[in-house]
Amino acid sequence: MSLSLQRIFPALSEPTLRRYLTGQVVSVLGSWTQNVTLNLVVYHLSGSGAVLALLNFLLYGPQLVIAPIAGARISSHNARRTTLAGLVTSLAVACSLAVLSAFGVLTLPLILAHAIVIGVLTSIESPARQVLLVSCLEDAALLPNAVAMNTMVYNVGRMVGPTIAAVLYPTLGPPFAFATYAVALCVMAWCVRSMVIQPRMTKKGDSRGGLRAAFAYILDDPFTAKYLSILACMGLFAGSYQTLVPLIADRVFHDAATYTGVFFAAAGVGSLSAAVILSSAIGSMMMQRYLSVAPWIAGVALAV
């Protein structure tokens, strides 16, 4: 790795983190490919915006309840095991979707049932991956840069994954899109198994106390309370536009697969650009200014 790249992204100096980010970008890319494909399949089966909304609620809604509870029970001691268990189960779900779709028996109720499982698995695996990210660092001072790079990697997948879905769905069909995610999960599992986890000192006790302590901290800290409130509003009111993307792509531009991929990829480009800036050396200098204007920019963009 070049010294200039290491200077801009210092967290890349650690081999274990590079391995984690490699698996992360591949798995996130596959995840977006699968989720966009599910949106396209559901829309073509139902033609209903309400059913699309239900699908996305099942995919992302469980994180509101399950993720905080799971996060309170995950530590550096069980993060790898939890992540691997989630990856194996997600692999089974992806293979099931691919097989059912290949045989032409993937009905709307079956898709929604799979979506529930995907939502629950994501809610458990996401905090486990976050703990795994922290646990793989040898130098704790690199944590802010590592978190920013993880966000950047996520947005690479968010940008490229929908594009892959837009290509695979009309050309090779949904089975290949689901199989792509299955392969991505295998790559991530290999990376996780080969990572060196750094021992962390953790206090033992009732994990529910950790969850209560987290809520108490949020309520007592003015900045955190305001920040999470803004984040919740952005996710609820701004991020919900994603449900309408297949409808707009089909009814306005008359090509659901192509334009759904284009619109999601465009959103990924914007997020990736911000993540690259914030994960670089100049990110810390403009962080406060960026956070103060980002919600307004998103609101103006949606209004336009």
Side-chain angles (χ1 to χ4, degrees):
M1 183 176 57
S2 65
L3 292 177
S4 59
L5 184 61
Q6 184 175 334
R7 190 177 299 112
I8 298 174
F9 304 113
L12 288 179
S13 61
E14 299 204 4
T16 303
L17 181 66
R18 294 201 299 268
R19 191 170 294 124
Y20 170 87
L21 292 176
T22 299
Q24 180 78 338
V25 69
V26 173
S27 67
V28 171
L29 187 151
S31 176
W32 274 96
T33 301
Q34 174 178 266
N35 287 356
V36 171
T37 300
L38 285 173
N39 274 267
L40 291 171
V41 172
V42 166
Y43 178 70
H44 283 146
L45 286 176
S46 66
S48 169
V51 179
L52 273 176
L54 176 60
L55 170 69
N56 284 278
F57 175 77
L58 296 177
L59 288 174
Y60 304 110
Q63 296 188 40
L64 295 172
V65 178
I66 299 177
I69 298 174
R73 289 164 169 75
I74 295 173
S75 67
S76 60
H77 302 291
N78 60 12
R80 190 212 298 266
R81 185 169 61 252
T82 303
T83 302
L84 286 173
L87 290 171
V88 171
T89 311
S90 296
L91 177 61
V93 173
C95 291
S96 174
L97 286 169
V99 171
L100 291 173
S101 180
F103 284 97
V105 294
L106 187 59
T107 61
L108 197 57
L110 284 175
I111 293 176
L112 296 178
H114 281 75
I116 296 174
V117 179
I118 293 171
V120 172
L121 288 173
T122 303
S123 301
I124 297 173
E125 192 183 337
S126 292
R129 290 197 190 195
Q130 297 296 325
V131 175
L132 197 63
L133 171 65
V134 176
S135 302
C136 74
L137 290 173
E138 295 181 11
D139 184 1
L142 296 175
L143 179 59
N145 186 252
V147 171
M149 290 206 64
N150 188 48
T151 303
M152 182 177 68
V153 160
Y154 173 83
N155 286 299
V156 169
R158 181 182 178 184
M159 178 180 66
V160 180
T163 306
I164 294 176
V167 173
L168 291 180
Y169 184 84
T171 56
L172 300 177
F176 287 89
F178 297 135
T180 298
Y181 185 39
V183 174
L185 289 169
C186 292
V187 174
M188 181 62 181
W190 178 84
C191 291
V192 171
R193 283 184 58 87
S194 61
M195 288 172 58
V196 177
I197 306 300
Q198 301 300 321
R200 306 291 183 192
M201 297 300 295
T202 57
K203 294 181 180 180
K204 296 188 177 182
D206 188 359
S207 58
R208 290 175 297 179
L211 185 60
R212 288 195 298 269
F215 280 115
Y217 174 80
I218 292 172
L219 294 175
D220 291 339
D221 184 69
F223 174 82
T224 305
K226 291 179 181 179
Y227 174 74
L228 290 181
S229 298
I230 294 172
L231 194 63
C233 290
M234 291 286 289
L236 184 62
F237 297 110
S240 57
Y241 77 91
Q242 298 179 81
T243 301
L244 301 175
V245 168
L247 288 171
I248 296 174
D250 181 45
R251 298 182 183 180
V252 178
F253 298 95
H254 312 294
D255 191 343
T258 299
Y259 284 99
T260 295
V262 169
F263 294 155
F264 274 114
V269 169
S271 299
L272 177 61
S273 301
V276 169
I277 294 172
L278 295 177
S279 62
S280 65
I282 64 175
S284 57
M285 296 184 292
M286 59 181 300
M287 177 76 74
Q288 191 66 34
R289 181 179 301 175
Y290 175 81
L291 288 177
S292 64
V293 300
W296 298 103
I297 294 175
V300 171
L302 286 171
V304 171

